[in-house]
Amino acid sequence: GDKKGLLTEYLTDHDEGIIALSIEVSDLGKARRLAESSTGSTLDTYNGFYGPSFLLSPKVTHGVWIEMFQTVDHLH
């Protein structure tokens, strides 16, 4: 999907508050598999600001975008 379009749409529908959280994980693959099994959705990884990442939609996180990332120096 178009991440800029999703963010713009989200901001239009919400007032002030926390928009997103970025959380470092030690094993991105394990975190993604756990998130996919918990949400029943397929999550794409991308190269984010902090390194390999994936996003959880506010639809499954009670209103906040959550980005999980693994820094390059923690990759095996």
Side-chain angles (χ1 to χ4, degrees):
D2 179 8
K3 289 180 183 44
K4 286 186 180 185
L6 291 173
L7 181 57
T8 302
E9 179 182 326
Y10 182 79
L11 290 173
T12 318
D13 295 338
H14 293 81
D15 292 327
E16 294 180 5
I18 296 174
I19 296 169
L21 301 170
S22 293
I23 301 171
E24 182 177 14
V25 296
S26 61
D27 186 330
L28 189 69
K30 187 182 286 186
R32 186 176 52 77
R33 288 189 297 276
L34 177 62
E36 287 178 336
S37 68
S38 297
T39 63
S41 58
T42 301
L43 303 167
D44 296 323
T45 57
Y46 62 94
N47 290 318
F49 180 79
Y50 300 108
S53 308
F54 69 86
L55 281 174
L56 290 167
S57 166
K59 294 174 184 173
V60 297
T61 63
H62 304 286
V64 175
W65 286 98
I66 296 180
E67 175 188 45
M68 300 281 184
F69 69 93
Q70 183 174 350
T71 56
V72 176
D73 62 331
H74 289 115
L75 294 175
H76 302 284

